[in-house]
Amino acid sequence: DAGVIQSPRHEVTEMGQEVTLRCKPISGHDYLFWYRQTMMRGLELLIYFNNNVPIDDSGMPEDRFSAKMPNASFSTLKIQPSEPRDSAVYFCASRLDRVNTEAFFGQGTRLTVV
Amino acid sequence: GNSVTQMEGPVTLSEEAFLTINCTYTATGYPSLFWYVQYPGEGLQLLLKATKADDKGSNKGFEATYRKETTSFHLEKGSVQVSDSAVYFCALSPTSNTGTLVYFGTGTSLTVIP
């Protein structure tokens, strides 16, 4: 397996534009997580899915953020409209099951909103 | 609740020096404990783990022992190399029925100079 695949690796967009980040988890993994990493706040969990169902989105900062997982092999994180303070590295991670297993991270998407 | 506290960085060491990064945790029940490493420009990857008290996780010369009496999981390496320069995250995964999530510390940046 190629691991967790995220696209794009880098995204630069203007304030107010819609941004869509994409993630392909490892095949067979039941859990998918979206994290945001910034210098100020460290690694923050935004939302996670179990078997394609959103379980906890309490970490999503605002209504401008939304995430979907239409099937087991694909998830998106959308920001609409984007703001400069959304600039960060966004990581997707997948995990086989709920107990005693490691999370496999993608390489991240570096988002810059100007 | 569940949380992880790790020593603040940044840490700068000379090559071949001894490394300790402290990590303590708060958890209900008996969590699994992890150290993840993030190399520049990459996602987090599992370095080592321990699933029960007194277990020692080890990988690439790094070690950490699960100490229930002190609720600690300190990371150590006897002789660091320049290639060990990275950010290190301590993490826990609870084993309760609600233990789906992984709780990460804030990360400790390590720079090894020749």
Side-chain angles (χ1 to χ4, degrees):
Chain A
D1 202 310
V4 176
I5 300 173
Q6 292 186 245
S7 64
R9 288 294 310 277
H10 302 274
E11 177 79 35
V12 180
T13 190
E14 292 186 346
M15 184 174 63
Q17 296 299 305
E18 177 180 295
V19 176
T20 299
L21 311 181
R22 297 173 176 79
C23 174
K24 182 180 187 305
I26 293 174
S27 178
H29 281 197
D30 287 345
Y31 288 87
L32 183 141
F33 304 84
W34 281 100
Y35 290 89
R36 178 172 68 176
Q37 186 178 40
T38 61
M39 289 294 292
M40 291 295 294
R41 302 169 76 100
L43 195 64
E44 303 173 275
L45 177 65
L46 301 178
I47 185 172
Y48 77 94
F49 296 82
N50 178 22
N51 293 323
N52 315 337
V53 176
I55 302 301
D56 185 351
D57 65 354
S58 59
M60 297 283 263
E62 301 171 32
D63 291 345
R64 299 183 295 106
F65 286 70
S66 62
K68 295 182 180 178
M69 193 165 185
N71 57 61
S73 59
F74 184 64
S75 177
T76 59
L77 178 67
K78 185 178 294 186
I79 308 173
Q80 165 64 16
S82 58
E83 296 183 3
R85 60 195 167 118
D86 301 331
S87 298
V89 181
Y90 291 81
F91 288 104
C92 175
S94 71
R95 179 172 166 174
L96 180 61
D97 60 38
R98 60 177 289 278
V99 177
N100 295 338
T101 63
E102 70 178 281
F104 293 81
F105 282 75
Q107 291 192 294
T109 295
R110 181 173 295 277
L111 173 65
T112 303
V113 183
V114 298
Chain B
N2 300 291
S3 66
V4 173
T5 303
Q6 59 181 107
M7 66 184 278
E8 297 207 5
V11 175
T12 302
L13 295 174
S14 297
E15 205 165 25
E16 299 184 4
F18 184 85
L19 169 71
T20 299
I21 301 178
N22 290 336
C23 172
T24 58
Y25 67 90
T26 302
T28 52
Y30 301 93
S32 293
L33 302 174
F34 308 85
W35 277 101
Y36 282 80
V37 59
Q38 182 180 28
Y39 298 104
E42 298 185 10
L44 282 69
Q45 56 186 274
L46 182 68
L47 179 60
L48 54 84
K49 68 178 181 182
T51 58
K52 60 182 187 294
D54 299 325
D55 268 3
K56 178 186 284 188
S58 61
N59 186 23
K60 300 181 181 180
F62 290 89
E63 293 183 339
T65 301
Y66 189 139
R67 300 286 189 200
K68 184 171 180 295
E69 63 275 13
T70 54
T71 62
S72 65
F73 193 55
H74 304 320
L75 182 68
E76 297 182 336
K77 186 174 185 181
S79 177
V80 293
Q81 306 299 311
V82 172
S83 57
D84 294 327
S85 298
V87 181
Y88 293 83
F89 292 87
C90 186
L92 73 82
S93 175
T95 54
S96 66
N97 286 336
T98 59
T100 303
L101 300 180
V102 176
Y103 296 82
F104 286 92
T106 54
T108 302
S109 175
L110 169 67
T111 300
V112 180
I113 54 178

